[in-house]
């Protein structure tokens, strides 16, 4: 795909009086991809998420991996909310009304992450809680040679930190969709509750440290409309030697199987209709892959809720992921419609583009904001510090 080669000790206490979350959905995005589908009877939120928010500190521009006993200097640095915040931000920037349930520390890191998500991105944090005496989880990420190395630190928040509102413990916000991280050998009760109320569940999964790779161990898979593992995960779970064969095998367990193929793009199988689709990756120079998988899922959820054809959903998810790796950071790099629109106009102006490749993304023409609304691309959102002090 050549379409973008030109761009390259004490029990924590709850701070209930600090819960300043929005009571009405707010979307700062320039495009509402669901505008033509919305009705007065819709759920208040498009997507519900729950998980851990980290304070991410990202170093970029390292020539090589840090060497034991030496000091390495990075050419770039940024800070942003990470963890589940990567996906929440990606969804919100694509115009979806997003609600997040998470614990936040009452330290400066926690305040920064809360403000960045609620005020900066318009994400609903009414199911979230600030916890006194609990410090924010932190991840330091070092990007080099197209890969990353991460060091994290944190402690589990109190078990009953979340879902304490409206006398409904453990009850997720009502939403069109939810993205759930499936845990081998464990059920997350909120997933079944959400699915029973009509929420469409999109499941992803991490590396199985047990080494079992047993699909039967993913008990919540039965509630999922879509499952989105990467190629290595898909092949291990299905005992397949080909990611495409793995996708077809997974489609026997879940209505829609999507397998990401890294530099080769993505492949999907709709088990209900028998349709399959494959879209190649966009060739870009990757600065930092942090959060790219989350951005891909956000793009695919957006296209699915908008009822786009399967191939368009894959193409859009791959495009958003490709744009994200050209910036550093997880939530920092998630593209919005301004960047998508700028990319689409820029790529059409480059001579020698493959017409077939351009046609693959022609569906963007009726979606992206007008040229007068598009900011210069690429954008550099990252800042090197949590905040600058102000003289008295």
């Amino acid at each position: 795909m050549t379409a973008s080669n030109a761009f390259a000790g004490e029990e924590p206490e709850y701070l209930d009086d600090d819960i300043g979350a929005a009571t009405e959905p707010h979307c700062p995005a320039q495009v509402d991809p669901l505008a033509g589908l919305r009705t007065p009877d819709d759920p208040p939120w498009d997507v519900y998420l729950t998980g851990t928010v980290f304070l991410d500190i990202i170093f970029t521009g390292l020539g090589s991996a840090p060497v034991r006993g030496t000091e390495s200097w990075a050419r770039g640095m940024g800070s942003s909310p990470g963890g589940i915040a990567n996906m929440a931000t990606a969804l919100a920037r694509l115009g979806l009304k997003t609600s997040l349930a998470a614990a936040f520390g009452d330290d400066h890191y926690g305040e920064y992450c809360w403000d960045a998500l609620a005020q900066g991105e318009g994400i609903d944090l009414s199911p979230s809680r600030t916890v006194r005496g609990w410090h924010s989880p932190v991840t330091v990420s070092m990007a080099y040679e197209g890969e990353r190395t991460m060091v994290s630190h944190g402690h589990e928040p109190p078990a009953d930190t979340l879902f304490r509102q409206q006398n409904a413990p453990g009850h997720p916000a009502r939403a069109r969709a939810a993205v759930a991280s499936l845990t081998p050998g464990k059920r997350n009760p909120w997933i079944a509750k959400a699915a029973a109320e009509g929420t469409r569940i999109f499941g992803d999964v991490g590396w199985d440290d047990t080494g079992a790779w047993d699909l039967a161990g993913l008990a919540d898979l039965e509630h999922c409309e879509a499952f989105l593992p990467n190629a290595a995960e898909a092949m291990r779970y299905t005992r397949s030697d080909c990611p495409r064969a793995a996708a077809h095998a997974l489609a026997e367990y879940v209505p829609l199987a999507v397998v990401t193929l890294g530099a080769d793009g993505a492949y999907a199988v709709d088990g209900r209709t028998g349709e399959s689709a494959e879209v190649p990756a966009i060739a870009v120079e990757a600065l930092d892959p942090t959060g790219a998988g989350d951005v891909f899922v956000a793009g695919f959820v957006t296209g699915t809720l908008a009822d786009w054809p399967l191939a368009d959903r894959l193409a859009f998810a791959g495009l958003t992921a490709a744009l994200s790796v050209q910036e550093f950071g997880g939530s920092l790099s998630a593209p919005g419609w301004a960047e998508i629109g700028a990319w689409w106009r820029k790529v059409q102006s480059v001579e020698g583009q493959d017409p077939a490749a351009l046609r693959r993304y022609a569906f963007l023409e009726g979606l992206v904001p007008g040229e007068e609304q598009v900011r210069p691309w690429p954008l550099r959102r990252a800042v090197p510090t949590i905040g600058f002090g102000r003289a008295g």
Side-chain angles (χ1 to χ4, degrees):
M1 175 71 186
T2 60
S4 74
N5 287 344
F7 316 113
E10 289 184 345
E11 183 70 13
E13 299 174 24
Y14 300 105
L15 299 184
D16 286 335
D17 56 341
D18 283 351
I19 300 169
T23 57
E24 293 293 329
H26 167 67
C27 279
Q30 296 169 297
V31 173
D32 180 1
L34 309 186
L37 301 174
R38 298 195 184 279
T39 71
D41 297 327
D42 285 343
W45 308 107
D46 295 325
V47 186
Y48 169 80
L49 300 170
T50 185
T52 302
V53 173
F54 289 75
L55 185 280
D56 280 358
I57 301 173
I58 309 102
F59 293 98
T60 64
L62 290 163
S64 62
V67 178
R68 178 180 178 180
T70 68
E71 180 179 16
S72 299
W73 281 80
R75 294 191 298 273
M77 173 185 164
S79 309
S80 69
I84 193 63
N86 294 337
M87 190 174 297
T89 299
L91 289 161
R93 289 183 181 177
L94 293 177
L96 299 187
K97 301 172 184 178
T98 303
S99 184
L100 171 63
F104 290 79
D106 66 336
D107 50 11
H108 290 309
Y109 290 173
E111 293 174 359
Y112 164 77
C113 289
W114 185 292
D115 289 345
L117 297 173
Q119 304 302 321
E121 305 294 345
I123 294 167
D124 167 54
L125 297 182
S126 58
S128 294
R129 292 293 179 265
T130 299
V131 184
R132 187 184 300 278
W134 182 70
H135 72 75
S136 300
V138 176
T139 292
V140 175
S141 176
M142 293 161 281
Y144 53 88
E145 299 174 353
E147 291 294 339
R148 66 189 177 194
T149 296
M150 296 181 290
V151 178
S152 298
H153 174 72
H155 302 280
E156 289 289 331
D160 61 344
T161 298
L162 307 178
F163 316 122
R164 297 175 65 242
Q165 75 224 25
Q166 299 176 352
N167 297 316
H171 202 286
R174 197 165 65 91
R176 295 174 186 262
V179 181
S181 182
L182 307 185
T183 306
K186 179 182 177 182
R187 284 188 181 271
N188 292 303
W190 73 265
I191 297 176
K193 291 180 181 180
E197 293 191 354
T199 298
R200 303 163 72 176
I201 308 297
F202 293 76
D204 64 9
V205 69
W207 193 259
D208 186 356
D209 291 329
T210 70
W213 298 102
D214 180 12
L215 270 177
L218 297 179
D220 287 323
L221 190 61
E222 65 179 352
H223 303 299
C224 293
E225 174 175 327
F227 184 43
L228 299 95
N230 63 33
E233 294 159 349
M235 289 189 291
R236 282 172 170 80
Y237 272 116
T238 61
R239 309 300 191 264
S240 302
D241 57 5
C242 167
R244 293 161 186 82
H248 285 274
L250 289 172
E252 298 179 8
Y253 295 85
V254 67
L256 184 59
V258 182
V259 176
T260 54
L261 309 175
D264 291 328
Y267 185 82
V269 178
D270 189 326
R272 296 161 296 194
T273 66
E275 178 187 7
S276 63
E278 182 169 6
V279 174
I282 296 175
V284 296
E285 183 178 350
L287 174 64
D288 180 8
T290 303
D294 295 324
V295 174
F296 181 95
V297 173
F300 190 82
V301 170
T302 299
T304 301
L305 295 184
D307 289 336
W308 297 349
L310 184 56
D312 289 355
R313 286 181 261 166
L314 284 183
F316 185 73
L319 170 60
T320 55
L323 293 177
S324 76
V325 300
Q326 296 176 81
E327 309 289 337
F328 64 80
S331 61
L332 286 171
S333 66
W337 285 101
E339 292 95 317
I340 295 167
W343 175 85
W344 175 235
R345 287 173 173 78
K346 178 69 174 179
V347 75
Q348 292 179 86
S349 69
V350 177
E351 294 183 0
Q353 295 288 7
D354 180 358
L358 290 178
R359 286 195 299 271
R360 172 63 273 161
Y361 295 88
F363 69 93
L364 293 173
E365 190 61 44
L367 290 167
V368 295
E371 192 167 2
E372 68 281 356
Q373 296 176 273
V374 172
R375 294 166 288 176
W377 183 90
L379 296 180
R380 300 291 176 181
R381 294 192 186 91
V383 294
T385 64
I386 296 301
F388 292 98
R390 291 179 173 84

